[in-house]
Amino acid sequence: MPATDLSAKPVEEIASQLSAMSIEEVFAMMRQLEIASEEADVAGRDQVLSRIALVEEEIERRFPGQVLAPYRDWKKNHPLLQI
């Protein structure tokens, strides 16, 4: 997935793209949004959190009943992400 400012993308655009993404792309998007939420000021954090909720819903749709366990496992298996 190209590096873009996901917090600036319209929520509707992100939502329409999620179902066509590979799980690797969905997890990478979640990681980008996590980083953005840590760096966002208070005003921008709400925008980022609404996008995180969309991605969480997509992960739950793909892995019913597992909440975010597949994403946490993915992060553990990518040591370069542990910064």
Side-chain angles (χ1 to χ4, degrees):
M1 183 167 100
T4 58
D5 183 6
L6 294 170
S7 61
K9 266 189 164 182
V11 173
E12 298 81 18
E13 184 178 335
I14 292 172
S16 68
Q17 293 174 347
L18 280 172
S19 63
M21 291 178 161
S22 70
I23 196 60
E24 188 76 20
E25 291 172 316
V26 172
F27 288 164
M29 178 182 275
M30 177 62 100
R31 182 63 186 140
Q32 277 186 286
L33 288 167
E34 281 183 336
I35 292 168
S37 73
E38 293 166 2
E39 296 172 350
D41 58 9
V42 174
R45 193 163 292 132
D46 285 341
Q47 283 187 323
V48 176
L49 293 177
S50 66
R51 285 148 179 84
I52 287 174
L54 280 175
V55 178
E56 285 177 348
E57 288 173 11
E58 180 65 20
I59 293 170
E60 174 64 23
R61 186 185 69 75
R62 292 182 188 205
F63 300 96
Q66 297 183 45
V67 193
L68 291 177
Y71 172 65
R72 287 190 298 272
D73 291 342
W74 176 82
K75 280 184 16 177
K76 287 179 190 173
N77 293 323
H78 288 77
L80 295 177
L81 297 177
Q82 305 302 320
I83 298 173

